[in-house]
Amino acid sequence: MNKAIKNFVWLMLPPCKEVTELISLNRDRGISFAERLKVRAHILFCKFCARYLRQMQSLEEELHHKHLPEDAPPDVIKRIKKIVRDNS
Amino acid sequence: MAPELTTPELWVDEHGAYLYNYALAQVHDSQSAEDLVQETFLAALQSRQAFEGRSPIRTWLTGILKHKIIDHLRKKYRELPESTVTLPYEKEGLFRTEGDMRDHWRAEVGPQDWVINPADELERKEFWKILEGCTDRLPPRLRIVFTLREISELETEEICKDLEVTATNLWVMLHRARMQVRRCLELHLNA
Ligand SMILES: [Zn+2]
């Protein structure tokens, strides 16, 4: 892309701080089509925001899938079992 | 296994540890997690007749526990004072404050690639440990809001109603919590 055009497009786009806010808003209540386009365009120019978006997506995915451990302290399980037995 | 063939004690063997970890990831306090799981099993015993085995037992138990966790967090949130602290990422100043590039990342502190990849099975455990440490360090009210949204996966409308906060207020808290957790993760994953 021509450098002048590139600069012009960049100036029309929201700054990084606003992009991070739009990414949060998008997750919570959705953002408009125009806002989405601005975020996408910004990310083409900005490696920091591209990483930010990727990281937030993988963080959400991890939190959502909750690969929780399948073991717990034995004494906790023992105490819970006792209560269940006493109340069965 | 048909539900009538399982005894409540077996429920504890099969699902107790899972439920405990599920609670612990949200309440961040082992005693409360244990209490909540205990109450869940007691409630399950009482409503056993109503459970017709249409869903797996674990799903049924998790559903009961989820409500108890949300109740617990809601009560805790109300007891806590409003937090006005500046978060570490805010003190650090991740964005430029002047010039043409105002509100853009400062190059020295802009997002870096993470060394530990959560999608990697082997690295996942390490990632969760660090993530837990990072959410633990959030101011208590922010931690509850972040947990309800990202781990309990409540809709924002529901959180607003439960905690009696406005949508804008909630959104500001969520964004600050996310910014802080991400920055904390980055600093510790790449340490
Ligand atoms: Zn950017």
Side-chain angles (χ1 to χ4, degrees), chain A residues 24-30, chain B residues 149 155-157 171 174 178:
Chain A
S24 264
L25 276 177
N26 185 43
R27 168 142 175 74
D28 294 324
R29 67 143 169 73
Chain B
R149 179 74 182 117
E155 291 302 323
T156 49
E157 294 80 13
W171 179 75
L174 279 173
R178 287 176 185 137

Side-chain angles (χ1 to χ4, degrees), chain B residues 165-185:
Chain B
V165 294
T166 64
T168 309
N169 204 336
L170 173 66
W171 179 75
V172 170
M173 288 195 280
L174 279 173
H175 184 60
R176 292 178 73 217
R178 287 176 185 137
M179 287 289 284
Q180 179 54 36
V181 168
R182 192 209 65 85
R183 179 61 177 153
C184 173
L185 273 172

Side-chain angles (χ1 to χ4, degrees), chain B residues 88-139:
Chain B
Y89 90 88
E90 291 164 328
K91 280 194 199 127
E92 226 182 334
L94 300 182
F95 301 104
R96 292 166 196 266
T97 52
E98 51 202 24
D100 282 352
M101 293 295 280
R102 197 195 144 108
D103 287 340
H104 288 271
W105 296 99
R106 277 170 45 215
E108 317 86 82
V109 290
Q112 296 303 317
D113 283 323
W114 289 348
V115 177
I116 293 179
N117 175 12
D120 183 308
E121 194 93 32
L122 293 169
E123 295 177 355
R124 182 168 282 146
K125 225 175 172 166
E126 184 65 16
F127 181 86
W128 269 90
K129 217 172 72 201
I130 296 173
L131 176 58
E132 237 167 52
C134 286
T135 43
D136 261 346
R137 277 193 289 271
L138 286 174

Side-chain angles (χ1 to χ4, degrees), chain A residues 27 51 55 64 66 79, chain B residues 34 111-112 150 153 182:
Chain A
R27 168 142 175 74
R51 281 196 197 117
Q55 291 169 351
H64 179 77
K66 303 186 193 42
R79 282 196 293 272
Chain B
E34 185 176 337
Q112 296 303 317
E150 304 290 0
E153 295 177 56
R182 192 209 65 85

Side-chain angles (χ1 to χ4, degrees), chain B residues 24-37:
Chain B
L24 194 57
Q26 295 170 74
V27 299
H28 296 263
D29 147 32
S30 50
Q31 187 56 56
S32 306
E34 185 176 337
D35 292 346
L36 289 165
V37 174

Side-chain angles (χ1 to χ4, degrees), chain A residues 10-11 13-18 20-29 42 46-49 51-52 54-56 58-60 62-73 75-77 79-81 83-85 87-88, chain B residues 8-9 12-14 16-18 20-22 25-26 34 37-38 41-42 45 58 95 101-107 110-114 118-119 124 127-128 131 146 149-151 153 156 171 174-175 178-179 181-182 185-186:
Chain A
W10 176 243
L11 282 175
L13 295 174
C16 302
K17 193 178 178 190
E18 206 178 313
T20 64
E21 290 165 2
L22 286 169
I23 289 170
S24 264
L25 276 177
N26 185 43
R27 168 142 175 74
D28 294 324
R29 67 143 169 73
H42 178 107
C46 177
K47 64 175 190 297
F48 287 140
C49 286
R51 281 196 197 117
Y52 178 89
R54 246 195 340 265
Q55 291 169 351
M56 292 316 275
S58 74
L59 174 59
E60 267 156 35
E62 270 316 294
L63 288 166
H64 179 77
H65 282 105
K66 303 186 193 42
H67 300 274
L68 296 167
E70 283 273 350
D71 54 333
D75 50 318
V76 170
I77 299 302
R79 282 196 293 272
I80 295 174
K81 227 171 165 176
I83 300 251
V84 168
R85 194 180 310 128
N87 286 277
S88 289
Chain B
E9 270 183 74
V12 182
D13 282 331
E14 280 173 38
Y18 171 85
Y20 176 74
N21 287 306
Y22 179 86
Q26 295 170 74
E34 185 176 337
V37 174
Q38 228 167 62
F41 278 114
L42 292 180
L45 281 173
R58 180 173 288 195
F95 301 104
M101 293 295 280
R102 197 195 144 108
D103 287 340
H104 288 271
W105 296 99
R106 277 170 45 215
Q112 296 303 317
D113 283 323
W114 289 348
R124 182 168 282 146
F127 181 86
W128 269 90
L131 176 58
F146 180 82
R149 179 74 182 117
E150 304 290 0
I151 309 183
E153 295 177 56
T156 49
W171 179 75
L174 279 173
H175 184 60
R178 287 176 185 137
M179 287 289 284
V181 168
R182 192 209 65 85
L185 273 172
E186 177 164 85

Side-chain angles (χ1 to χ4, degrees), chain B residues 61-113:
Chain B
L61 292 170
T62 309
I64 301 175
L65 176 59
K66 187 176 174 174
H67 278 109
K68 295 198 179 290
I69 291 171
I70 294 167
D71 249 12
H72 172 87
L73 291 177
R74 179 199 298 143
K75 270 187 214 122
K76 263 189 93 179
Y77 182 91
R78 292 194 175 155
E79 288 164 13
L80 291 162
E82 207 165 321
S83 137
T84 49
V85 291
T86 308
L87 298 175
Y89 90 88
E90 291 164 328
K91 280 194 199 127
E92 226 182 334
L94 300 182
F95 301 104
R96 292 166 196 266
T97 52
E98 51 202 24
D100 282 352
M101 293 295 280
R102 197 195 144 108
D103 287 340
H104 288 271
W105 296 99
R106 277 170 45 215
E108 317 86 82
V109 290
Q112 296 303 317
D113 283 323

